[in-house]
Amino acid sequence: MENILEVNDLHVSFKTHRGEVKAVRGVNLTLKKGEALAIVGESGSGKSVTTKAIMGLLPKPAGRVKSGEVLFNERDLTKLSDKQMQKLRGSEISMIFQDPMTSLNPTMTIGKQIMEGIRRHQNLSKADAKKRAIELLELVGIPNPEERVKQYPHQFSGGMRQRVVIAIALACNPKVLIADEPTTALDVTIQAQILDLMKDLQKKTNTSIVLITHDLGVVANMAQRVAVMYGGKVIETGTVDEIFYEPKHPYTWGLLSSMPRVDSKNSELLAIPGTPPDLSNPPKGCPFAARCPHAMKVCTEFMPDYSDVSDTHKTACWLQDERSPKVEPPETIQVGGDR
Amino acid sequence: MALSNNEITKEMFEPVAMSSSESEAIVGKSTSFWKDSFQRLLRNKGAVISAIILLLIVLMALIGPTMNKYGIDDQDVVRQNLPAKIPGLDKIHWLPFDGVENNVDLYQTQHAKDNFWFGTDDLGRDLWTRTWKGTQVSLFIAVVAAAIDLLIGVAYGGISAYFGGKVDNVLQRIVEVIIGIPNLVIIILMILILQPGLVSIIVAMVITGWVTMSRIVRAQMLKLKSEEYVLASRTLGASHSRIISRHLLPNTLGQIIINTMFTIPSAIFFEAFLSFIGLGIKDPVASLGSLINRGYGVMQIHPYQVIFPGIVISLLLICFNILGDGLRDAFDPKLRQ
Amino acid sequence: MARYIAKRIVYMIITFLVVITFTFLTMKLMPGTPFKNQNRISPEQLAQLKHYYGLDQPVPIQYLHYIGNALHGDLGGSFQFGMRPVTTILAEKAPVSFDLGFEAVIIGAIFGILLGVIAGLRRGTILDYGTMFISVLGISIPSFVLAVFMQYFFGVKWQLLPLAYWKGPEYHIMPVIALAVGVVANVARFMRTEMVEVVNQDYITTARAKGISSFNVIFKHSVRNALIPVITILGPLTAAIVTGSLVIENIFAIPGIGSQFVDSIVTNDYPMIMGTTELYSALLIIMIFIVDILYGVIDPRIRLAGGE
């Protein structure tokens, strides 16, 4: 399958009053046609910034792509002008945001907000655009769409609003859909509905999805491949099976151990001790070294390169080096390892 | 590999023991709210400069009138309407300190031996002394009015918020009526009843002024009351006085200070306004407003008489407002990062 | 919404009654009023006054009488104009004051919104700091000080503009600017704060993610939403305009209610003072009411939630 989206060695920095924060430090990602890629990691790992950079939505003038490229259908998006980027956004690539309570304009009707993108990208008359908006609302499962288009966001519940946000994102049949923690702000019961909806829509429209989340349950449910980010870098990437059953990076181990599971013999939840690195002054070596239970001297000094575990599975960890001592993944993960 | 392999030696692959205390260490030093706010204020150049200018004006208001031998009511028609003259600065022609009006050096024609730094008025009174004395009076009125606003407002708002329920209901209905009455109207009527003067101006301004403070205090306290840490403190059995003194007051103090910083300039303005329309301070006592009023009467012939008090009051108000803005930014938790 | 409006109207009436009562009491309490200080007015005036206020009757009756008259628009006769009805004089002078105030509000709002939007969009730049510094000056410097300085420089020293009076358009320039500067400054500051707030909202990112043009993001989403709360400062602004107009009209000899009011104070023309006070109160109270209702009508969140 061909790559629809490719991120190569992307660096993004923010200027703050405390100096430059290097939020993304050399990220590589690939997204194949029709596939769903999950990016996981804790807050501040650079996952949201990466997707904002792809969309050209970094807050100006503080944030900026320092180097690297974002290839969409072989076009480098970082080189496009604002105008060219506007043409692409919402039509070719679109985005769903985390909090449906704040991501809709409170003083504009739902219909207008959906039609805005349609009118901009497809030469439809007002009446046709409205028809399309009603269709979209129906598609995302909102009852009474003819009535609902005239209403304002505060007349919708959280889950319904997220459906509207999805309708806006899908309005122009985008090739790539970026979903930034689309279920985090929702009730657990609604979360499943929204995920089902997204899966269903992906099947219908064959859209490629980049899914940002820190919920590994969502990953297992939605994605085919996973990229684990930490400290502004992708530290492990592979298929869902590879990441869940043969994780190689101690951080991934930590993530998996901290996930509650029903079948675990050990009912205790394990936390990863410590806090993520300060990216205004990033560590020289592996960003996880300070919290890693298997850290070696080399880890604090040098950033490891990627080593291939399989064709699809890569990780950046010194433990993969033959000079390092043999370390077994913790038991909590091996329990889950019985396929 | 990008790195030269000879830098990485076998020994470097020895595991290092991770101390949990190290990974849990807090990056950056912790600062208290007040210290942090103060530091932020110091970083605000405009606020610092304003504070310095304000200090200078206050200082001049205190010592200015004693810097020469003229009292505020020393009249002498021989030296009337002399323009400003400051030795040294009189050589700089674009500054109004050369004692010359319409190309005539009035100090020579009127045989005045002394220099009047801000000139004299139509009764020959020294305007330097009167301007600083007037500043003193204006500042006094403003500070006293703001202090009374603060006392009444904090008490009223605090009681309303802390006791809530029926008390709050009654107190707030009263406030709703008062807030609807234009304060300009109340102030003017009060002055008419009380006769213009220092005390009546203060009373007139306080009568409506405290409402703003009480609303701010009430809103803030209501918000705090429902905060979880106050609830937590209450759950742990803290007494009323402890909750008020440890949680509610300290967290309202910022708002109180900010509001006071804006009350003072608005009081200065109202005093000047009243004096300007003839309802304020009466001769021989001076205030900035009455000086401007008097100077305005002869502005076409002797502009210097209105310019000096005009500049002082503008500076005062500008500096208070900038400092108030600075304080608000410094205290506003929304801007904290 | 209807309930909310009804509640607001009740408060409006109570407030206005308080003002009328207060003016009535002021009349009774005023030291050296024409009632006591008889050398200030002629015997006919005194007689007319006593008749008008029914001074032979008990105070509560007088009070009811006063309110009844006031509600009928009968505010008594002016001392300085030979007992001409106050209402007539006010009606005569109102248009001039209204012109002045209206021009100042319109000009002030347009420039204020413009400056606020620019400063808000260019947050943290020199443009922002410059605009905000100028607006601090505008808020701080009293309108009458500004008017006096302007009159001296443009009218007396350089003779670019007419010194005073209210005739052709060139006569409007100085007083309108003097009055508008405070409005511009207040609106600009408020608008900037709102813009900064709105620009950082998630829905602006959503709008940008849809790929609509920057122009539409700024005007259809940011400015539109930032404008709504600006309505709330219309009330205080009206009060500021009224306050300012008293001195501005006086300084520029504009024959409006404001300069008339100051004259009345100086000449102890009490019926005139009371009448004007009541007119101002009514104006401001109604203004605050309109703003409240308008806010509810314009903001869909409040409009549909049914007020409060």
Side-chain angles (χ1 to χ4, degrees), chain C residues 213-232:
Chain C
S213 64
S214 317
F215 181 87
N216 275 348
V217 174
I218 292 172
F219 285 93
K220 278 203 184 148
H221 291 270
S222 317
V223 175
R224 226 184 79 131
N225 286 11
L227 265 177
I228 294 173
V230 174
I231 297 168
T232 52

Side-chain angles (χ1 to χ4, degrees), chain B residues 101-171:
Chain B
E101 198 168 79
N102 301 323
N103 296 321
V104 182
D105 188 340
L106 291 174
Y107 282 76
Q108 273 174 11
T109 54
Q110 293 189 17
H111 308 291
K113 291 181 204 74
D114 296 311
N115 291 318
F116 295 91
W117 299 325
F118 281 180
T120 57
D121 67 6
D122 55 339
L123 297 173
R125 295 180 294 195
D126 176 43
L127 282 176
W128 171 273
T129 305
R130 288 181 68 75
T131 300
W132 295 121
K133 199 75 193 171
T135 311
Q136 211 181 83
V137 169
S138 290
L139 279 172
F140 175 79
I141 292 175
V143 169
V144 172
I148 300 175
D149 276 358
L150 186 133
L151 284 179
I152 303 177
V154 170
Y156 195 97
I159 289 171
S160 193
Y162 197 78
F163 292 102
K166 241 184 208 151
V167 179
D168 183 44
N169 216 339
V170 171
L171 293 182

Side-chain angles (χ1 to χ4, degrees), chain A residues 52 55-58 86 89-90 97 102-108 113 116-117 120-121 152 154-155 168, chain C residues 201-203 205-214 216 220-221 224-225 228 299-305:
Chain A
K52 286 233 167 81
M55 289 289 285
L57 287 177
L58 290 171
Q86 279 166 13
R89 275 204 297 263
F97 298 92
T102 57
S103 51
L104 291 170
N105 187 340
T107 64
M108 204 182 254
Q113 296 191 52
E116 232 180 2
R120 162 89 180 166
H121 298 296
Y152 290 91
H154 66 268
Q155 291 164 291
I168 291 175
Chain C
Q201 294 290 321
D202 289 347
Y203 59 79
T205 317
T206 310
R208 286 178 65 202
K210 277 185 247 178
I212 58 177
S213 64
S214 317
N216 275 348
K220 278 203 184 148
H221 291 270
R224 226 184 79 131
N225 286 11
I228 294 173
D299 193 327
R301 281 163 295 186
I302 299 175
R303 179 173 69 212
L304 293 149

